Amino acid sequence: MTMPYRLKRRLAVLVAMASIIGLTTAMDYPTPLPDFAHPHTPHAPWYQPVNAATSRPILIIRGGFTDLPWPAVKDDAWLGRRFFGPYPSVRDYFVRSSFGRVDFSRARESSGTPDDGVVFVDYGITLAQWDALTDEQKMRHGVNVADPLVDYSVFDRNGDHVLADDEVVIAVLQSVPYDTGDTIDGPGASRAVDPGPLLDGMELTGRTTIWAHSAVNQITLDHEMLHTAFGLARDFHGYPINGFDLAGGTISPYEWYVELGSWHKMHLGWANPTIVTRDGYYQVPTWHTSGQSFLLYDPGRGTDDYLMVENRRRVPGTYDADVSDNGLIIWRVDETQYYNPSPSSYPIRLMGPCPDYSCTYDAWDAADQNTPQRDMTGPWRDGTPSGVAVRLAYEAGESTMAYFDVPGPGAAVDCFDRNSAGYRREAQVIAGQTVSVRLPVQNTSEEAGSVGLGLAGPLEPGWTWSGETAELGAKEVTAGRLLITPPADATPAAYRLWAEATWLPGPQHGSRCDITVRVIAPPSATWGYASTRAAQYQAPVGEEVVLHPSWQWGTWKRDGDPNLAARNTTMIRTGTGRYRVTMPAMGSLPGVAHAGAGVSWGYVDAASCQLASVVRENPDKILDVACFDGEGTPKNLPFAVWASGHSAGAEPQLQARYSAVGGFGDAVPLVNEETFTSTSGPVEVRRLGDGRYEVTAAGTAFDASGFVRVTPLNDSPAVCRPASVEDTGTALRIGVECMGPNWTPKNTPWTLTYTQGAGAHHDPSVPAAYATTTGDPANPTIDTGRSWSSTGEVPTIARTAPGVYDVNYQDIGNPYTYPADLVDVTAVGTAARSCRVLSWNSYSLPRKLRVIVQCYDAAHRLADAHFSLAYLRAPTRT
């Protein structure tokens, strides 16, 4: 009998990846593999493939009572459509579900339209008298009353004078008081016929017959057909399969449809599962169209316990139109419990995507935020470890995939990314640059071993990659890294690559999944700058302040969107010496940012400002600025910030972000979105000691004549400077030294910019300059070999006091004064010094620029030093 079921309503097509890496089975699976349908020892006599492939007629007996007629609108034609018509009908359900292996026809009878399969009778008693009968007596009464209109002997196919369940299906339907003609509700059941006389010489006693109310929904009739025609000997509505299997609860006040699951179809011979014998990814097509499922078992355990996996998909016009959820369904089976009457025995249980697998109205869909779990590693029904698992379930779709883990060696790599549009890990890289892709890798073997991560298959010409190897314990997971480099002339496009994990003791065992690498051309220059004016840096905590519009500019100002062009850089003071700075439209593309002390007339101190963090919140870039006095104590201070992105251009550019702070020895490739070199060569960092780093960027275009800026990326005080810049002939080599407030070496992350023959923003369309001092710092000159300006001008420099310098340009400033500009200063060279800009003035006299620089020693006193400065300004108005 069916029980009530409350329907629950709750997709990126996966490109096929059906290959399974592995040439041999993982362990000693028998040959041939077991037949899990066990047709020679069925759970019930009729519950086996031969009966399930036997077509037969259906005889429908419908009747009312002396005090309750049958609803007139549900006549023979209506019932004929319900049982024998096109979708949706009882016949069509089983023709489709069996993939054409079985069919049903209209039974021969002489009621109404002869041989339409429907007999209309009056049961000749009141409803109360009918209700007083046992269910079996009702079935006997129904077949007896219909006998004058039916020759039961025509159904005796084998001539034994016994109407067996495989010869004809009989349904006895009754009217009910609540059925107004359009009502859908009520139960159905399968009951034996009570002992009684032979009918047309045929024995009907004990045969199974459908009994249902006139208002019953169709799926309940389908469910009872499963009992009556195909010998399902027990109900499963007490088990957590509702909404995913016809054998579950079906009674409801509406029409809905759900397919028969793989466990039942296997036993009926309508679908044969693929028995998994080695670890790997498997493609799982839609269940109701393919009949494809997968079976996982442990040969050492035996064939009574196993998992079955199928892909369910809610598709209108099919018999899975109302399946409870989209995605993978995992059935856990214990064949020994088939006849156990206790619901807690769970001979078949749906293992749902939640920590205890109890969420049985949900399918495994990694893209569903409500069910993010992806690994089903639960035990067998009796609590013992299963030795098999379904891992890394992917997003629901017409075809989905998962990694099946069975006894034996294996290695899994995971490419799923819930946050990408196609649910695959994506990476963006500028042509000629290297991108790092980190992917989870797992040893799915039962023993420790080496697992390698790489790329599989041929690549486009010029592409290169390197991977990693890890020693992993049994079932251990780690994060592996792929370094992928497209050639500099790669066509901008999305490239689909196959990441591959390999079990190195037996390389035939492994797995692959696809990632997308998007190659882009070097973008045009994007940059911006801003600084505090007056007492903006003392703003109340939490108050958003627009940094002075006349002292900021960015490439977003020339955007065609007037709303974007009207935006300004803003600041929120978040604490003493801490500021959250939002730079519009600077987060849409990668790049680096820098911060330093700003204009502070009259405040003489070895103060410094740096970046505690930089976050891209598309489209904006968020800078967390941290300022400290000379002793390293947080202090509210004026500051200046600037940021720029990777860009094309005739002159070289290097941008880098370094985050590792430990380790010595071999150079570590810098591979992250912020690291870029216009020469397309690798960028490497070697930590030489505490606070000392050597940066190498391959490329002969570098000649060490450019501007270098290094900014600490740390919320504790630090000062970094370029200690050396060298052209090796094949690469640019920059020495970086970082110090804490006590002037001792300090390990810290940092950002770095190097530009040569162009402004620090690498934008040749806008006037800019940089300059570096040389000679005796007590009487310095401008190093013309390491200075540049868009006007060709070399500035003058004068030392006005120890550690104080006056630098002047005559023709670089903005002729219209506003929007004004920015000057950034850094100490350079081997001496442990720090330098900052005290002020700059480009507004008193158009085109002229005056910069006051102060430098300090370890005692935080003004001291002579070498320095570099960079000058940025807005484009000249036209």
Side-chain angles (χ1 to χ4, degrees):
M1 180 175 180
T2 53
M3 293 294 287
Y5 166 63
R6 186 172 298 279
L7 181 64
K8 177 188 173 188
R9 299 273 182 185
R10 290 239 291 135
L11 264 139
V13 175
L14 177 67
V15 181
M17 207 300 289
S19 60
I20 310 300
I21 309 302
L23 304 179
T24 62
T25 56
M27 62 171 295
D28 294 330
Y29 282 83
T31 302
L33 291 167
D35 185 350
F36 285 83
H38 49 87
H40 301 297
T41 57
H43 288 298
W46 298 112
Y47 188 65
Q48 39 88 1
V50 172
N51 175 56
T54 301
S55 297
R56 69 207 79 166
I58 300 176
L59 174 66
I60 306 160
I61 303 170
R62 68 177 179 96
F65 306 101
T66 56
D67 57 350
L68 181 66
W70 180 269
V73 297
K74 295 183 177 180
D75 57 12
D76 289 0
W78 184 89
L79 276 174
R81 290 190 298 272
R82 192 166 186 76
F83 274 83
F84 304 108
Y87 176 92
S89 74
V90 173
R91 172 191 173 271
D92 188 62
Y93 182 98
F94 287 100
V95 169
R96 292 199 198 189
S97 190
S98 70
F99 299 98
R101 290 175 173 84
V102 71
D103 199 354
F104 294 98
S105 58
R106 297 173 184 260
R108 293 174 58 185
E109 43 71 33
S110 58
S111 169
T113 301
D115 301 334
D116 67 354
V118 184
V119 174
F120 180 33
V121 299
D122 185 331
Y123 290 128
I125 58 177
T126 66
L127 177 61
Q129 290 173 317
W130 174 271
D131 288 341
L133 300 175
T134 67
D135 291 349
E136 291 74 16
Q137 290 171 337
K138 293 173 183 175
M139 299 305 98
R140 169 55 72 174
H141 188 81
V143 296
N144 286 352
V145 170
D147 184 41
L149 301 171
V150 180
D151 180 0
Y152 289 108
S153 67
V154 300
F155 308 126
D156 184 19
R157 189 174 57 247
N158 61 6
D160 66 353
H161 301 285
V162 176
L163 284 192
D165 293 349
D166 67 340
E167 292 178 315
V168 63
V169 177
I170 300 176
V172 175
L173 310 181
Q174 69 165 88
S175 58
V176 287
Y178 58 82
D179 189 356
T180 61
D182 58 358
T183 306
I184 299 173
D185 205 353
S190 297
R191 294 293 183 262
V193 176
D194 211 41
L198 299 180
L199 300 178
D200 303 315
M202 298 294 109
E203 180 62 77
L204 277 71
T205 297
R207 66 154 289 119
T208 309
T209 301
I210 295 174
W211 164 50
H213 288 185
S214 59
V216 71
N217 62 359
Q218 185 202 302
I219 192 172
T220 298
L221 294 173
D222 298 336
H223 173 103
E224 300 309 336
M225 283 285 291
L226 192 61
H227 289 297
T228 304
F230 303 114
L232 183 65
R234 65 168 299 167
D235 271 317
F236 289 86
H237 54 72
Y239 301 90
I241 68 174
N242 290 345
F244 289 105
D245 197 295
L246 179 64
T250 58
I251 297 172
S252 64
Y254 39 77
E255 299 287 4
W256 66 282
Y257 305 98
V258 68
E259 261 283 4
L260 193 60
S262 56
W263 188 68
H264 292 293
K265 287 195 182 186
M266 176 181 70
H267 283 86
L268 295 173
W270 294 347
N272 296 316
T274 297
I275 299 175
V276 178
T277 59
R278 59 177 178 265
D279 292 5
Y281 277 116
Y282 288 76
Q283 202 70 33
V284 188
T286 299
W287 168 242
H288 71 262
T289 58
S290 71
Q292 178 68 63
S293 63
F294 294 84
L295 188 149
L296 287 67
Y297 85 110
D298 179 357
R301 171 84 175 190
T303 58
D304 285 332
D305 296 282
Y306 53 89
L307 303 179
M308 296 194 76
V309 184
E310 62 201 44
N311 176 19
R312 304 300 285 271
R313 188 160 167 261
R314 192 183 297 141
V315 179
T318 73
Y319 292 110
D320 247 356
D322 302 298
V323 67
S324 184
D325 200 6
N326 294 316
L328 285 181
I329 296 303
I330 304 171
W331 304 108
R332 186 189 69 189
V333 176
D334 182 349
E335 292 269 352
T336 67
Q337 301 300 306
Y338 186 85
Y339 283 106
N340 190 329
S342 170
S344 62
S345 67
Y346 292 134
I348 177 172
R349 170 180 169 169
L350 189 146
M351 307 294 281
C354 50
D356 62 355
Y357 312 117
S358 64
C359 45
T360 55
Y361 288 100
D362 294 310
W364 294 78
D365 176 5
D368 187 342
Q369 295 183 352
N370 295 315
T371 55
Q373 289 78 13
R374 302 182 60 212
D375 288 6
M376 204 299 288
T377 59
W380 295 128
R381 185 203 59 81
D382 63 5
T384 59
S386 68
V388 301
V390 177
R391 303 184 187 276
L392 307 178
Y394 276 62
E395 76 280 2
E398 185 174 352
S399 183
T400 186
M401 74 177 186
Y403 186 93
F404 296 154
D405 181 0
V406 294
V413 56
D414 184 14
C415 301
F416 182 80
D417 186 347
R418 184 175 290 106
N419 297 317
S420 68
Y423 301 114
R424 293 298 178 275
R425 186 64 55 86
E426 295 186 359
Q428 181 170 284
V429 62
I430 295 172
Q433 304 299 304
T434 299
V435 65
S436 172
V437 180
R438 290 193 174 274
L439 299 170
V441 176
Q442 182 174 16
N443 170 17
T444 60
S445 306
E446 286 69 38
E447 61 185 42
S450 300
V451 174
L453 176 64
L455 287 181
L459 301 179
E460 295 280 339
W463 285 67
T464 60
W465 64 270
S466 63
E468 290 186 336
T469 299
E471 293 291 328
L472 299 177
K475 311 301 180 183
E476 184 180 355
V477 181
T478 190
R481 184 173 75 162
L482 286 170
L483 301 181
I484 304 171
T485 307
D489 60 353
T491 301
Y495 293 82
R496 185 171 177 232
L497 306 178
W498 292 97
E500 180 178 51
T502 304
W503 169 252
L504 295 180
Q508 69 270 32
H509 300 288
S511 64
R512 299 175 183 176
C513 57
D514 58 309
I515 62 174
T516 297
V517 174
R518 299 185 184 278
V519 177
I520 63 172
S524 57
T526 57
W527 54 276
Y529 62 82
S531 61
T532 56
R533 290 286 134 175
Q536 286 184 316
Y537 64 93
Q538 297 281 23
V541 170
E543 178 182 312
E544 185 174 33
V545 175
V546 175
L547 294 181
H548 201 297
S550 293
W551 289 88
Q552 62 168 286
W553 197 84
T555 47
W556 68 87
K557 292 290 185 181
R558 56 190 179 196
D559 193 271
D561 180 351
N563 293 323
L564 177 57
R567 292 185 62 191
N568 287 299
T569 297
T570 61
M571 173 206 86
I572 299 175
R573 188 165 74 86
T574 58
T576 302
R578 293 296 286 269
Y579 307 89
R580 174 186 168 93
V581 178
T582 299
M583 301 191 75
M586 292 301 299
S588 57
L589 291 171
V592 299
H594 297 277
V599 170
S600 54
W601 286 104
Y603 181 77
V604 180
D605 183 69
S608 64
C609 295
Q610 63 195 61
L611 294 172
S613 67
V614 179
V615 178
R616 289 169 58 195
E617 293 184 358
N618 194 14
D620 301 335
K621 181 167 285 188
I622 310 301
L623 282 54
D624 183 359
V625 177
C627 296
F628 306 90
D629 64 16
E631 301 296 330
T633 302
K635 185 178 182 63
N636 296 339
L637 289 172
F639 62 85
V641 295
W642 62 279
S644 65
H646 314 330
S647 61
E651 303 301 333
Q653 180 192 37
L654 166 64
Q655 294 188 322
R657 176 178 61 81
Y658 173 77
S659 56
V661 295
F664 293 90
D666 294 341
V668 176
L670 274 188
V671 182
N672 51 62
E673 285 193 319
E674 285 73 33
T675 298
F676 167 83
T677 170
S678 58
T679 63
S680 301
V683 180
E684 298 178 330
V685 174
R686 178 182 288 108
R687 194 169 79 88
L688 305 177
D690 286 341
R692 296 176 56 238
Y693 309 90
E694 182 181 84
V695 183
T696 303
T700 57
F702 293 117
D703 62 12
S705 67
F707 169 77
V708 184
R709 177 69 159 100
V710 185
T711 297
L713 193 58
N714 203 322
D715 59 4
S716 64
V719 175
C720 297
R721 72 182 190 283
S724 62
V725 184
E726 177 186 2
D727 175 11
T728 68
T730 59
L732 174 70
R733 183 177 296 155
I734 300 172
V736 174
E737 293 190 6
C738 297
M739 305 173 295
N742 56 4
W743 236 250
T744 58
K746 181 181 179 66
N747 297 325
T748 179
W750 40 256
T751 61
L752 179 148
T753 292
Y754 173 90
T755 53
Q756 173 184 307
H761 48 37
H762 204 238
D763 187 348
S765 69
V766 181
Y770 62 81
T772 301
T773 62
T774 189
D776 182 356
N779 186 26
T781 60
I782 298 298
D783 186 345
T784 57
R786 295 186 57 199
S787 302
W788 171 92
S789 74
S790 55
T791 62
E793 178 183 2
V794 177
T796 61
I797 183 171
R799 175 180 176 270
T800 59
V804 182
Y805 303 91
D806 191 339
V807 180
N808 285 269
Y809 287 87
Q810 302 302 311
D811 195 33
I812 194 66
N814 193 334
Y816 296 95
T817 305
Y818 297 109
D821 37 25
L822 178 138
V823 174
D824 191 27
V825 172
T826 178
V828 299
T830 57
R833 296 286 190 270
S834 69
C835 297
R836 55 167 291 188
V837 62
L838 181 67
S839 66
W840 69 88
N841 183 344
S842 61
Y843 48 85
S844 295
L845 295 171
R847 296 189 181 278
K848 297 184 184 296
L849 170 67
R850 183 186 183 190
V851 181
I852 306 298
V853 175
Q854 293 183 337
C855 298
Y856 298 87
D857 62 14
H860 310 140
R861 298 170 303 194
L862 287 167
D864 295 333
H866 284 300
F867 62 89
S868 291
L869 67 82
Y871 175 69
L872 304 175
R873 74 168 175 85
T876 302
R877 297 204 306 263
T878 57

